[in-house]
Amino acid sequence: MKKALNAIVLSAFLLAVTSIGAAEHRPNIVFVLADDLGWADLGCYGDTFNETPNLDRMAREGMRFTQAYAAAPVCSPYRAAFLTGFHPARLGIMDYLRPNSANRLPTELTTLSEQLQNHGYTTGMIGKWHLTGYAFHEAEFETRPADHGFDWNIGSEVKSVGNGANTWPYVFRTQPIRWIDIPAQRLGEEENLTDRLNLEAVEFIERNKQKPFFLYLAHYAPHTILNGRPDLVEKYRKKHKPGKSGRANCYICEDAGLGKGDPLNHWAIDHNPHLAAMLEGIDDGIGKIRAKLTELDLLENTIFIFTSDNGGESNITSNAPLRGGKSELYEGGIRVPLIVQWPAKIKAGRVNKQATMNTDFHPTLLEAAGVAGTQQRDGVSILPQWTGSRQSNARTLYWHYPLDRPHFLGGFSGGAIRDGDWKLIERFEEGKIELYSLAKDPSEESDLSEQQPAKVRELKTKLLQWREQISARTPSAPLLCEPRQLYFADHFSGQASERLWYNGDWTAERGILQRVDSGTENTRIFLRKPSYKDVLIRFDFQLQQSRDIRLVTGSHGHYNAVVHIRPDHFYIQTAKDQSGPYFSYRHGECAYEFQPDRWYTMTVEFIGNQMIAHVDREHLAHATHPILDKERTYFAFQVDDQPAAFDNIQILNAGKHRAQSANVAHVKSIAGKYPVEKSPEDEYQIRRVNAHEWLYQRHPEYRALVQKVDELDALKKKQFPAAFSSNKDRKKKIQTLRRKYHQEDPNFKQLLQATHRASRALDAYLIGQSPEIDNYPNSRKKAALERLRRQHQDNKAYRDLEAARQAAQQKLESAYPRLFVSDEALNQSRKEQQRKLKDNPDYKKLQAQRAESHRAREAYLFANDNRLAELKKLIDEK
């Protein structure tokens, strides 16, 4: 036994020594990211105006990539893809996040920084985060670098970015706070932001030289509004006259008292002195980092990376010879500079011409660090390319960039695929396809789609298959309204919103909202105290096993409009509302085969007296009705008795679409293009309901007949309330009586509290079986309790507690039977009262009048709707 123990101790010691040795030889990682730096802006990529000697040296001593790509042409998707290795479309972050966005990098994912942190790395993040909305802008949630595996962080934004306030105290114009979390200046009263971030990077390396570290330095430069350090700006202004300005307005110039225009050349399209100055600041930091690594004898075994998050903005630089720029899927928007230096493994002076995407950093860096990945990612390790052990096979790269409207820089909604040297671009809104041969035409000047139809079919098929594989969602662009400020959203990327009211039928887990299989017939989840009018509503859904999903809206106690989604069609229904009065009406409908396990996006727009629901530009349902033109104070999803799932719920305030007239004309032109097949019975029921509302609103004669029947019904209720009061009316009286007892009757309160104690005892027992549930958020707790209830319902202890609860409830109901009358009992009571009235002469007279008025109303209905009459005859003959 002693020998065995000694062997175990020795093995543990050797394992520890081995681990320490492995840790000592793990490479450090320094990842420097520029913001909106164009592919051609560095000296080593051909620029002759900007001065980047340290980056040029880094390229000479390392590997320079000529075909490195960003996963999206804007910043937030790039950053999400870098840290996770997943494509932005899989993450649901496909555009830059707005300041009040509810979307954020999902905390359920294990990021690159978390995996390195878990394997002994010290992790630090400096600078631009942009993977969350901000509390300053009233975002409900805000996730920070510390939530994703960074031990230390400084210099990240606390509000919207890109305002040009790049000098201490980092306050833009009259805004009330510093937009960056830097508490105090360290480089004098004129401290420059890029210089400060460089200082923090160098000091991080100094502090953490004893163990492997991962430093993510994300510069804000050279994002517009460009505003370089004054001495450097003057240097470049003297070097070459700035080009013509790409924008007429310059806030910084106006604040300096220089009037309109751009006298300080912040927006010069070429030879921009601010761009050059900001880039020199980044380059200076590269030199300082390299010097510190050299001083500490760490350069040899440090993976030192420099790149950009997307192409340069075309109004302040040129990405030539590449076409386009930021926000576009042309090469100028997605091809970025990339330099990797690792003296221990990468030979100096190499140029890599193979295609790679920034999703590849995650698996590549983990492999280089000797860390096993926890799951399959969209990126692939290109470590063999770096070390020269082998060349990778040709890659197929994909992009998915759907937009509701063009980016302010002119970008378009679209997707793209690069397969070998062929590149296909799909413009979603126009349905246009472009095809380019990048080997012969890197500037994408010659569209070959008409000359190469077979290649178009091949690449488009691959692109569609890829989108299907990763559940890339392409929301239908708005038709009636233009979205503005976000009103409410929940993307279920971590903690769920407290504004949604959960019950045991609903849970938010694993990044989605799930209607669980609870056995409840119909269930709703609704938004607390909403108030909205003209809006765009968008949500993703999976039908799963459900047969009916509904988006339900309402106004001040009345239902307003409902969108029904069923396996083979969807439609819009407006509701009965006596404030009009309005009656239920089935509006536009559209046949569509929804696959149960596939994700779809439904876009619903309300503007004035119109609404529309659409999954794409062709498949839509449209409604025009006065009931729609009012404030809405209710929002809910309702699902039948089967499971269904939701994600990415958004409500955005909206204004009139600039092309609304043309879009409405398009909507009307395709009305009925996808009809829904119905049996004669179903068609009859729908048409009868519709004819009633249609004629009531347009035919005074019919309205008078309907009102006469209503008057007689009201008279029946008044004269014989016991026989004709509705269940709703009776339940209101019961609720009033319940409140009276609660206020005035101590015995009622005592018995009611006993039922509550018994229910709490049941829940306490269940939580005792799984104590972790007690710490669940509201979005998970109730559904988890219901699952436990089903699991333990046969346990004796649970049955005893359930019996005690039922006994307490029975005692309460026996003492106050008037408060616990079922619908069935109410119906039976009403029928009994009506039976007793059958010989009452006043009742008989009233019934006869009512029957005569009803027949007149029905006769008018059928006389004025020929199709309805045909359907009735057909059904009667059957």
Side-chain angles (χ1 to χ4, degrees):
M1 181 176 290
K2 187 175 180 180
K3 288 182 179 180
L5 286 172
N6 287 338
I8 293 172
V9 171
L10 179 61
S11 298
F13 173 75
L14 291 174
L15 181 61
V17 170
T18 303
S19 299
I20 293 170
E24 288 175 347
H25 287 88
R26 286 180 182 175
N28 302 302
I29 302 168
V30 177
F31 189 93
V32 182
L33 184 65
D35 194 2
D36 297 350
L37 177 65
W39 183 79
D41 283 337
L42 303 182
C44 55
Y45 280 86
D47 192 279
T48 57
F49 176 65
N50 303 326
E51 298 178 15
T52 56
N54 292 297
L55 285 163
D56 298 345
R57 177 181 181 178
M58 185 176 173
R60 292 194 303 272
E61 295 179 351
M63 176 179 287
R64 180 173 66 88
F65 288 75
T66 62
Q67 300 191 65
Y69 287 95
V74 288
C75 58
S76 298
Y78 178 101
R79 294 161 201 272
F82 163 59
L83 286 175
T84 66
F86 289 119
H87 197 280
R90 196 188 293 276
L91 298 169
I93 301 177
M94 295 175 284
D95 196 7
Y96 71 93
L97 297 184
R98 274 51 173 182
N100 69 336
S101 176
N103 203 1
R104 58 207 190 278
L105 186 64
T107 52
E108 295 92 345
L109 294 175
T110 304
T111 59
L112 172 65
S113 42
E114 286 175 294
Q115 289 183 274
L116 291 172
Q117 183 186 61
N118 292 338
H119 287 80
Y121 274 74
T122 299
T123 56
M125 196 269 160
I126 302 171
K128 183 173 177 179
W129 179 239
H130 208 170
L131 287 171
T132 184
Y134 309 109
F136 178 82
H137 294 283
E138 300 182 344
E140 188 171 358
F141 302 109
E142 182 173 341
T143 58
R144 308 301 297 175
D147 300 315
H148 288 282
F150 287 101
D151 299 310
W152 176 79
N153 166 233
I154 194 171
S156 293
E157 71 282 1
V158 295
K159 61 181 299 298
S160 56
V161 302
N163 53 39
N166 300 331
T167 304
W168 177 263
Y170 311 123
V171 175
F172 180 57
R173 308 192 87 189
T174 59
Q175 292 181 348
I177 67 167
R178 227 183 324 276
W179 67 279
I180 295 211
D181 67 348
I182 294 179
Q185 53 82 14
R186 297 180 58 197
L187 296 173
E189 291 303 318
E190 298 298 319
E191 174 181 282
N192 175 268
L193 178 57
T194 302
D195 294 342
R196 175 62 183 274
L197 300 184
N198 289 334
L199 172 65
E200 298 290 348
V202 170
E203 290 185 349
F204 173 86
I205 294 171
E206 175 69 43
R207 288 195 307 271
N208 296 286
K209 59 191 174 186
Q210 299 299 331
K211 59 183 295 189
F213 58 80
F214 167 47
L215 172 61
Y216 174 27
L217 170 58
H219 281 293
Y220 296 92
H223 190 292
T224 57
I225 303 171
L226 296 181
N227 192 15
R229 207 174 77 200
D231 60 319
L232 294 177
V233 171
E234 187 60 26
K235 166 188 169 180
Y236 286 100
R237 187 176 278 115
K238 291 178 179 178
K239 182 176 181 179
H240 193 288
K241 181 182 178 181
K244 181 182 177 182
S245 290
R247 284 193 178 185
N249 295 324
C250 172
Y251 297 134
I252 297 173
C253 300
E254 291 177 23
D255 291 346
L258 300 176
K260 299 290 185 180
D262 182 29
L264 297 178
N265 310 115
H266 293 275
W267 298 98
I269 296 176
D270 62 84
H271 298 93
N272 190 306
H274 291 273
L275 174 62
M278 296 173 81
L279 188 48
E280 182 169 328
I282 293 174
D283 186 79
D284 183 60
I286 294 293
K288 285 181 167 65
I289 291 171
R290 185 189 190 283
K292 177 55 67 174
L293 292 171
T294 301
E295 174 193 329
L296 299 174
D297 198 25
L298 296 176
L299 182 64
E300 181 75 9
N301 196 32
T302 294
I303 301 172
F304 194 2
I305 300 171
F306 176 82
T307 188
S308 175
D309 61 350
N310 48 252
E313 289 194 22
S314 54
N315 53 13
I316 52 93
T317 190
S318 169
N319 297 295
L322 306 181
R323 178 179 178 181
K326 177 180 178 178
S327 85
E328 296 179 294
L329 292 176
Y330 295 115
E331 293 291 288
I334 53 178
R335 200 188 291 197
V336 293
L338 171 61
I339 304 169
V340 181
Q341 182 179 4
W342 186 10
K345 298 288 186 179
I346 298 176
K347 293 181 180 179
R350 297 179 62 194
V351 176
N352 191 308
K353 298 181 180 180
Q354 292 189 288
T356 180
M357 185 176 277
N358 72 295
T359 50
D360 297 340
F361 287 124
H362 186 284
T364 302
L365 293 174
L366 288 183
E367 183 179 356
V371 175
T374 56
Q375 62 183 112
Q376 185 67 40
R377 308 278 164 160
D378 292 317
V380 299
S381 174
I382 58 169
L383 187 61
Q385 286 189 38
W386 291 6
T387 60
S389 58
R390 71 170 189 274
Q391 291 292 313
S392 299
N393 296 327
R395 295 281 302 284
T396 301
L397 303 178
Y398 302 90
W399 290 266
H400 188 63
Y401 185 53
L403 298 174
D404 280 340
R405 60 179 182 271
H407 193 282
F408 66 88
L409 293 170
F412 56 87
S413 179
I417 174 175
R418 173 172 176 169
D419 190 34
D421 288 324
W422 288 101
K423 181 178 173 188
L424 178 143
I425 298 175
E426 178 184 7
R427 289 176 174 259
F428 292 151
E429 193 164 342
E430 304 98 319
K432 181 183 176 183
I433 295 293
E434 300 172 18
L435 180 69
Y436 301 99
S437 173
L438 295 179
K440 299 177 181 177
D441 180 24
S443 300
E444 296 171 293
E445 294 178 340
S446 300
D447 179 4
L448 303 177
S449 56
E450 292 187 4
Q451 294 96 308
Q452 298 281 347
K455 181 59 68 173
V456 166
R457 286 193 298 272
E458 175 194 344
L459 295 184
K460 189 172 181 181
T461 298
K462 283 187 176 182
L463 183 57
L464 290 172
Q465 289 173 343
W466 172 78
R467 288 204 291 256
E468 185 75 20
Q469 174 191 344
I470 69 164
S471 295
R473 299 158 208 179
T474 309
S476 183
L479 295 168
L480 303 182
C481 65
E482 292 189 357
R484 294 176 180 170
Q485 189 74 2
L486 180 70
Y487 175 71
F488 168 78
D490 201 337
H491 299 267
F492 310 100
S493 303
Q495 183 182 358
S497 173
E498 289 295 319
R499 290 189 64 189
L500 287 174
W501 187 276
Y502 285 82
N503 57 37
D505 301 318
W506 299 86
T507 184
E509 297 183 69
R510 296 181 295 279
I512 62 170
L513 172 66
Q514 180 72 49
R515 189 271 194 254
V516 299
D517 188 5
S518 61
T520 307
E521 289 191 2
N522 276 304
T523 184
R524 292 184 183 181
I525 185 168
F526 59 87
L527 186 63
R528 300 173 192 262
K529 297 181 179 180
S531 178
Y532 59 102
K533 189 175 187 291
D534 293 339
V535 293
L536 180 142
I537 298 170
R538 182 170 281 150
F539 58 93
D540 299 339
F541 67 94
Q542 267 187 335
L543 273 174
Q544 296 183 354
Q545 296 162 38
S546 66
R547 308 293 295 176
D548 184 47
I549 286 176
R550 303 180 190 185
L551 169 66
V552 185
T553 64
S555 299
H556 300 286
H558 299 282
Y559 292 131
N560 184 277
V562 181
V563 177
H564 289 256
I565 305 172
R566 296 183 176 172
D568 60 352
H569 71 285
F570 61 95
Y571 65 91
I572 295 172
Q573 183 97 25
T574 51
K576 183 177 180 179
D577 183 349
Q578 289 303 323
S579 68
Y582 306 116
F583 298 95
S584 181
Y585 192 89
R586 173 82 71 95
H587 294 267
E589 57 185 18
C590 180
Y592 198 97
E593 293 294 328
F594 293 106
Q595 299 172 28
D597 296 322
R598 180 180 171 186
W599 283 99
Y600 299 89
T601 301
M602 180 64 73
T603 300
V604 181
E605 304 172 57
F606 289 93
I607 187 88
N609 67 348
Q610 295 188 77
M611 72 172 290
I612 192 168
H614 45 116
V615 292
D616 57 45
R617 191 174 171 84
E618 297 293 306
H619 294 87
L620 53 85
H622 180 241
T624 302
H625 197 282
I627 197 175
L628 300 173
D629 194 10
K630 57 173 61 180
E631 180 188 40
R632 276 164 277 277
T633 58
Y634 187 79
F635 177 97
F637 288 107
Q638 177 175 312
V639 181
D640 58 19
D641 60 345
Q642 296 297 323
F646 299 84
D647 197 3
N648 299 318
I649 300 168
Q650 299 176 77
I651 306 175
L652 296 107
N653 291 311
K656 183 179 178 180
H657 197 290
R658 67 193 71 180
Q660 188 186 95
S661 298
N663 288 339
V664 169
H666 163 73
V667 169
K668 291 180 177 178
S669 72
I670 61 172
K673 184 176 180 180
Y674 301 101
V676 179
E677 292 187 11
K678 305 180 188 71
S679 68
E681 291 79 6
D682 288 344
E683 185 183 352
Y684 173 79
Q685 292 298 331
I686 294 168
R687 193 167 189 94
R688 182 185 176 90
V689 168
N690 280 7
H692 178 60
E693 165 68 355
W694 181 268
L695 292 172
Y696 184 89
Q697 301 299 339
R698 293 163 178 79
H699 289 209
E701 302 88 349
Y702 183 71
R703 190 179 307 124
L705 292 171
V706 172
Q707 290 171 349
K708 181 63 176 177
V709 173
D710 290 345
E711 289 168 5
L712 292 169
D713 284 340
L715 187 57
K716 284 165 58 178
K717 184 186 294 187
K718 180 179 180 180
Q719 292 186 8
F720 311 104
F724 294 103
S725 291
S726 67
N727 286 5
K728 186 176 181 179
D729 292 334
R730 293 188 178 193
K731 287 182 177 180
K732 284 182 179 179
K733 291 181 179 180
I734 291 172
Q735 282 299 105
T736 301
L737 185 60
R738 182 185 292 269
R739 285 193 292 269
K740 183 175 184 296
Y741 284 145
H742 200 274
Q743 293 170 0
E744 302 174 2
D745 188 337
N747 185 57
F748 174 77
K749 290 177 67 174
Q750 184 178 1
L751 292 175
L752 182 63
Q753 288 168 1
T755 66
H756 293 165
R757 285 195 300 271
S759 294
R760 287 196 296 270
L762 269 172
D763 289 349
Y765 168 79
L766 294 173
I767 290 173
Q769 311 309 304
S770 297
E772 69 278 4
I773 288 178
D774 203 29
N775 295 319
Y776 282 8
N778 290 334
S779 57
R780 295 178 56 195
K781 190 171 187 177
K782 293 178 181 178
L785 278 173
E786 291 306 312
R787 285 197 298 268
L788 275 179
R789 204 178 307 280
R790 292 193 294 274
Q791 293 172 15
H792 291 276
Q793 60 187 357
D794 293 330
N795 292 357
K796 184 179 184 305
Y798 181 86
R799 290 202 309 270
D800 290 345
L801 290 168
E802 173 62 22
R805 188 197 66 79
Q806 291 179 5
Q809 182 67 29
Q810 183 59 42
K811 191 172 182 180
L812 176 64
E813 293 182 16
S814 298
Y816 298 91
R818 294 170 61 191
L819 302 181
F820 301 96
V821 184
S822 66
D823 284 342
E824 184 179 355
L826 290 173
N827 293 337
Q828 188 61 38
S829 172
R830 187 165 51 249
K831 289 178 181 179
E832 179 62 24
Q833 292 297 323
Q834 291 173 7
R835 187 186 64 77
K836 292 178 180 179
L837 288 172
K838 68 177 185 176
D839 294 326
N840 184 305
D842 293 335
Y843 170 71
K844 291 171 68 176
K845 180 180 178 181
L846 194 53
Q847 278 289 75
Q849 291 175 339
R850 203 271 184 193
E852 182 179 353
S853 296
H854 181 265
R855 284 193 294 272
R857 187 188 73 177
E858 293 294 283
Y860 192 97
L861 194 66
F862 289 108
N864 286 274
D865 192 318
N866 294 332
R867 178 57 181 164
L868 185 66
E870 291 173 5
L871 288 167
K872 187 175 188 311
K873 182 179 179 182
L874 179 63
I875 293 169
D876 289 344
E877 288 173 352
K878 285 177 65 177

